[in-house]
Amino acid sequence: ILGIGLNSQKHIGQRSMVGDISLNGSGASGTRISGLHMQRLLIANSVGPYTISNILLENSQVVNIIGPVFTNTLSNLIVRNCIFNSANVSGEPQAFELYTTSGVIITNNIIQGGCCIHGAIWGDGITITNNLFYYNQTGYAFQNLHNSLIQNNIFYGTSPEINSASSGGNTLSHNLVFSSSDDNFTDGNNGNADAGGNIVADPQLANLPFVTTDWNYSYDITLGGTSPALGAGSDGTDIGPSGGATPFDPEGTFLPLIQEINMPAVVTQGTDLEVNIKAKGN
């Protein structure tokens, strides 16, 4: 399912907007969703049992992802280059509610960290890398998180603490936190390991206020020239969405962007038409 992009400059900034998308039954395996502005992605939410696998969600603005339920399972989900605004939705403040899963990767996204007692991510066995979590200097990024790898993320006004004493087995490394309600990476009580490389410092983002409102595309998360996040990730790239193997692209489109077309206004019959096209690949 391919839309025009996250914030594409094609078609005068128009967006591909949908409501909920439900993926139910094993036949939904292999689905790719790109370039949409959507509400919820519901995965394996119907009566089973069955397994859904190999799902890719990218370049989209999303409220949240929920699933699976009953005795269903989810394996091999990749979420990248997306923006999540779940913290502003009454009754569903979690960006990710993921249970009975394996092989889940959440990478290079902008995620509004959960407010109050809620965390933005619930789940088990998740790789969470090169994301930006932000909120209004309150709340926690994680709730009921188990056996997960948390690395190379920026926590901007939201805490990297896991807001549940029952959570455990999580490893945190090479993350950066700034101006949250709790700048500690582990509290020592729930089996979460500080594996080193974590930083408490200002990431020097170009333009990102501490807000509780939805994401505004005028915000700019470019790192300043002296940012401590530059090249400080576990892989030698930046901490945050600009690092890793798939750096965040604010246009977020699956298709190439045509930037210029140069061609003559008049062509004589029988002569070649010469066209020069300048495009940005994605």
Side-chain angles (χ1 to χ4, degrees):
I1 306 174
L2 304 180
I4 198 62
L6 181 61
N7 190 35
S8 173
Q9 299 308 302
K10 288 185 172 185
H11 298 288
I12 321 174
Q14 293 184 4
R15 296 168 179 172
S16 303
M17 303 183 70
V18 300
D20 294 349
I21 294 179
S22 295
L23 303 179
N24 290 316
S26 57
S29 295
T31 297
R32 181 175 190 169
I33 300 171
S34 182
L36 301 181
H37 281 237
M38 57 184 289
Q39 296 297 306
R40 302 177 301 172
L41 177 60
L42 307 172
I43 306 176
N45 278 170
S46 65
V47 176
Y50 56 84
T51 295
I52 291 181
S53 60
N54 301 322
I55 304 298
L56 172 59
L57 173 65
E58 62 181 357
N59 303 328
S60 297
Q61 181 169 312
V62 189
V63 170
N64 61 358
I65 299 176
I66 303 175
V69 297
F70 306 110
T71 55
N72 303 325
T73 58
L74 167 65
S75 65
N76 301 330
L77 166 69
I78 298 176
V79 181
R80 67 187 182 201
N81 213 95
C82 293
I83 293 174
F84 286 84
N85 281 323
S86 62
N88 286 323
V89 180
S90 177
E92 292 189 11
Q94 292 79 37
F96 296 84
E97 298 178 35
L98 299 173
Y99 309 97
T100 58
T101 61
S102 63
V104 175
I105 299 174
I106 301 171
T107 183
N108 296 92
N109 303 287
I110 296 172
I111 302 170
Q112 194 177 58
C115 72
C116 316
I117 63 172
H118 305 286
I121 299 180
W122 295 36
D124 192 339
I126 303 173
T127 297
I128 303 165
T129 181
N130 289 102
N131 301 286
L132 168 65
F133 295 87
Y134 81 100
Y135 203 63
N136 191 30
Q137 298 175 289
T138 60
Y140 299 85
F142 307 115
Q143 179 86 19
N144 291 336
L145 187 69
H146 304 267
N147 308 311
S148 296
L149 174 63
I150 305 163
Q151 66 180 10
N152 304 333
N153 302 283
I154 293 176
F155 299 90
Y156 190 77
T158 191
S159 176
E161 279 278 16
I162 296 155
N163 190 32
S164 172
S166 65
S167 298
N170 304 296
T171 301
L172 297 91
S173 74
H174 295 84
N175 301 285
L176 181 149
V177 62
F178 177 64
S179 197
S180 78
S181 58
D182 186 347
D183 286 349
N184 293 310
F185 286 96
T186 60
D187 61 15
N189 296 322
N190 54 11
N192 300 312
D194 183 340
N198 294 305
I199 302 170
V200 180
D202 186 346
Q204 301 177 26
L205 301 174
N207 174 32
L208 180 60
F210 294 113
V211 294
T212 58
T213 55
D214 287 344
W215 180 260
N216 188 310
Y217 285 92
S218 68
Y219 298 158
D220 185 353
I221 61 171
T222 302
L223 298 173
T226 59
S227 170
L230 290 169
S234 61
D235 57 357
T237 65
D238 298 342
I239 294 175
S242 62
T246 56
F248 184 82
D249 179 357
E251 290 184 343
T253 177
F254 172 77
L255 303 171
L257 282 171
I258 297 175
Q259 298 172 314
E260 291 182 16
I261 299 179
N262 296 312
M263 57 186 294
V266 178
V267 180
T268 304
Q269 182 177 356
T271 61
D272 293 338
L273 172 62
E274 294 185 4
V275 181
N276 293 313
I277 299 175
K278 179 181 177 182
K280 174 186 176 184
N282 293 282

